Amino acid sequence: SQQGEEDPQALSIQEGENATMNCSYKTSINNLQWYRQNSGRGLVHLILIRSNEREKHSGRLRVTLDTSKKSSSLLITASRAADTASYFCATANQAGTALIFGKGTTLSVSS
Amino acid sequence: NAGVTQTPKFQVLKTGQSMTLQCAQDMNHNSMYWYRQDPGMGLRLIYYSASEGTTDKGEVPNGYNVSRLNKREFSLRLESAAPSQTSVYFCASSTGTSGSRSYEQYFGPGTRLTVT
């Protein structure tokens, strides 16, 4: 069963615009992670935010976490065509031994 | 470092055939995972190995078996392939062990399997 669910399922923007995608989850977490998957490739870890953090930055990425609403958002600023990919959020399973991924948001950035 | 490697990259099987997907990591990670990815379904965990010598079922284990051969290698076996097992299979590894809270995972490039 899915722990995290991303929204929207698909997003199309122009280069230079910001892209925001959201993730909702069901149970309490220790951390939440975001991954990127380029077409035909494996997933690549982007950023991890711990449950006691509210915001985290990495380059053009900004992640927020609201544990009271059980939600997180990933903001990509000044998008580039190379940001075209699927983005997944992930949280640990109840046993704390593996990650459960959402279904992802597919981002298309056109030039 | 090669990271996580998977073989083969592509495979076509007939229904009922068996095969083993190989995965190896050179990052000295304790934990390894097998996922399948189907359109519209995201990634679903098949099996995982939290540490050498242990394996556990994930969300969709039916029709699969795994072997944690050593710390580096984790294989996935389909004993009697079915068309429903047509998918892209990803292996991943992480430093996480039971009780750890990091779980940043490193993924291989995937194996595209078609069962006819």
Side-chain angles (χ1 to χ4, degrees), chain A residues 66-85:
Chain A
D66 187 335
T67 53
S68 66
K69 294 181 180 178
K70 291 188 169 59
S71 68
S72 174
S73 67
L74 171 66
L75 168 67
I76 304 174
T77 60
S79 295
R80 306 166 181 167
D83 295 326
T84 294

Side-chain angles (χ1 to χ4, degrees), chain A residues 25-44:
Chain A
Y25 58 92
K26 298 173 184 173
T27 61
S28 62
I29 60 171
N30 287 290
N31 65 64
L32 184 142
Q33 303 181 36
W34 285 92
Y35 288 78
R36 183 188 74 230
Q37 183 181 32
N38 291 89
S39 181
R41 310 290 288 271
L43 278 72
V44 174

Side-chain angles (χ1 to χ4, degrees), chain A residues 41-42, chain B residues 2-10 21-25 33-35 74 76 88-92 106-112:
Chain A
R41 310 290 288 271
Chain B
V4 179
T5 57
Q6 292 183 236
T7 56
K9 285 188 168 54
F10 300 93
L21 281 65
Q22 306 286 354
C23 174
Q25 53 91 9
Y33 312 85
W34 276 105
Y35 296 90
F74 189 38
L76 178 72
V88 181
Y89 291 85
F90 288 100
C91 177
Y106 297 80
F107 282 77
T111 294
R112 281 145 187 81

Side-chain angles (χ1 to χ4, degrees), chain A residues 11-95:
Chain A
L11 181 60
S12 293
I13 60 173
Q14 299 285 325
E15 263 192 331
E17 294 180 338
N18 295 343
T20 299
M21 49 206 89
N22 304 296
C23 169
S24 59
Y25 58 92
K26 298 173 184 173
T27 61
S28 62
I29 60 171
N30 287 290
N31 65 64
L32 184 142
Q33 303 181 36
W34 285 92
Y35 288 78
R36 183 188 74 230
Q37 183 181 32
N38 291 89
S39 181
R41 310 290 288 271
L43 278 72
V44 174
H45 181 264
L46 293 176
I47 196 165
L48 180 153
I49 185 165
R50 302 190 189 285
S51 59
N52 61 354
E53 297 175 311
R54 291 296 167 259
E55 188 172 311
K56 198 163 183 179
H57 296 255
S58 176
R60 293 184 296 112
L61 304 181
R62 172 177 168 252
V63 169
T64 62
L65 179 64
D66 187 335
T67 53
S68 66
K69 294 181 180 178
K70 291 188 169 59
S71 68
S72 174
S73 67
L74 171 66
L75 168 67
I76 304 174
T77 60
S79 295
R80 306 166 181 167
D83 295 326
T84 294
S86 293
Y87 293 82
F88 297 86
C89 66
T91 56
N93 63 0
Q94 284 193 327

Side-chain angles (χ1 to χ4, degrees), chain A residues 31 33 35 37 40 96-97, chain B residues 37 48 101-103 105 112:
Chain A
N31 65 64
Q33 303 181 36
Y35 288 78
Q37 183 181 32
T97 50
Chain B
Q37 185 175 35
Y48 64 98
R101 295 292 180 247
S102 178
Y103 299 114
Q105 294 190 4
R112 281 145 187 81

Side-chain angles (χ1 to χ4, degrees), chain B residues 59-101:
Chain B
E59 184 185 354
V60 288
N62 291 345
Y64 305 96
N65 285 301
V66 291
S67 294
R68 183 75 183 266
L69 304 170
N70 47 56
K71 193 170 186 179
R72 290 187 65 247
E73 298 171 288
F74 189 38
S75 63
L76 178 72
R77 182 159 178 85
L78 287 70
E79 290 291 352
S80 178
S84 61
Q85 294 178 305
T86 293
S87 188
V88 181
Y89 291 85
F90 288 100
C91 177
S93 70
S94 79
T95 57
T97 58
S98 181
S100 169
R101 295 292 180 247

